[in-house]
Amino acid sequence: MRHELIAGAEALGCPLDDAQADRLLGYLDLLARWNKVYNLTALRDPAQMLTHHLLDSLAVIAPMRRHTGGAATAVMDVGSGGGLPGVVIATTQPNATVTCVDTVQKKVTFVRQVAAELRLSNLHARHTRVEAITDTQWPLITARAFASLPDIVTLTRPLLAPGGVWMAMKGQHPADEIAALPGDIEVFQVESLQVPGLNAERCIVWMRSR
C-alpha cells in the first residue's frame, strides 16, 4: 500500500515525504476502521479506497499548487463526507487552512478525529448546511461528488471570496452542467486528470464569477 501510494503520488506530480505518506496511510486506516461502524463510504476494500479516494483526491494537488503558486490559502471542502479531498489537501498543503463542511454529524466527527490523531492543525470541520454559513468566505472552494455545478455555485456563491475560484471535481466532462450555469459564471478551464489505477474519467472544472 505504501509503495502504491508513493508511486501514485509521484505519477500525479505530487511527491510525498515520509510524514505525509504516514499521515495518508493513517487516514486510510482510520477510514477503514470507522467505516465498519459508521458507513462513511461504500467502499470496503482498502486497496480500492487507496485508488478511488486517496489517489483520486491527490490528483487535484498539482493543479491546485499551480493555481495558488504555492502561496498560503484557505479552502472550503463542501459536502466533504469523510474528508475527501479536504484531508488530502490539508496533509499535502501545510500552508493551506482547510475547512470541511458537511450536514452529517458522524462524518464531521470523523474528520475532527482525523485532525486530532494525525495532528493536522490546519484541518477543521463544521457541521452545518452550507447555506447557513454567514461568517466566512474562502478564496478556494472545492467539492467532490457533492452536487451539480449549478447547485454548487448557487449554494456557495456567497462564500466565495472576491477573486476566488471554484475547483469542482467531476468524472466525465459535465457539458450539460456547464451549459446550465448562470451567465455570470465563467468556466475558465476544464482540466483532465489521469488517476493511476483508476480506469475512469476524471476532471476538474475551474470556475469564477465574471
Side-chain angles (χ1 to χ4, degrees):
M1 294 278 282
R2 187 182 187 86
H3 172 76
E4 186 177 349
L5 173 62
I6 291 172
E10 286 275 358
L12 291 166
C14 177
L16 302 173
D17 61 31
D18 287 341
Q20 290 169 339
D22 287 344
R23 279 193 169 113
L24 289 176
L25 290 170
Y27 168 64
L28 198 66
D29 181 61
L30 282 169
L31 186 61
R33 285 194 281 126
W34 276 59
N35 208 38
K36 293 176 182 177
V37 179
Y38 294 105
N39 193 30
L40 299 173
T41 168
L43 298 181
R44 292 291 185 269
D45 178 16
Q48 275 195 314
M49 287 183 181
L50 176 66
T51 302
H52 290 65
H53 290 333
L54 284 193
L55 293 182
D56 190 50
S57 294
L58 278 167
V60 307
I61 300 303
M64 179 180 161
R65 285 175 177 166
R66 286 196 299 271
H67 171 74
T68 63
T73 191
V75 182
M76 179 176 74
D77 178 12
V78 60
S80 182
L84 296 160
V87 170
V88 174
I89 293 172
T91 301
T92 57
Q93 300 284 94
N95 63 346
T97 301
V98 182
T99 303
C100 295
V101 177
D102 204 276
T103 58
V104 180
Q105 179 67 66
K106 65 184 179 183
K107 294 178 179 180
V108 172
T109 300
F110 171 72
V111 173
R112 288 173 178 162
Q113 186 67 22
V114 169
E117 290 204 23
L118 302 185
R119 297 181 180 178
L120 289 168
S121 60
N122 61 331
L123 176 64
H124 311 280
R126 293 181 64 164
H127 174 229
T128 184
R129 298 182 65 84
V130 66
E131 55 267 41
I133 299 174
T134 58
D135 60 343
T136 312
Q137 288 186 313
W138 287 267
L140 180 59
I141 294 177
T142 190
R144 175 181 183 266
F146 170 62
S148 69
L149 297 178
D151 285 347
I152 291 170
V153 167
T154 299
L155 289 169
T156 64
R157 186 196 290 259
L159 306 180
L160 189 70
V165 301
W166 287 277
M167 182 179 74
M169 300 174 66
K170 288 288 178 177
Q172 294 181 337
H173 187 293
D176 291 347
E177 293 182 23
I178 291 173
L181 285 167
D184 62 343
I185 299 300
E186 176 192 7
V187 175
F188 61 93
Q189 186 179 10
V190 179
E191 188 167 359
S192 296
L193 303 174
Q194 297 293 327
V195 180
L198 188 61
N199 186 26
E201 292 184 47
R202 290 288 189 270
C203 69
I204 299 172
V205 181
W206 292 93
M207 303 177 289
R208 61 189 168 205
S209 295
R210 296 185 190 275

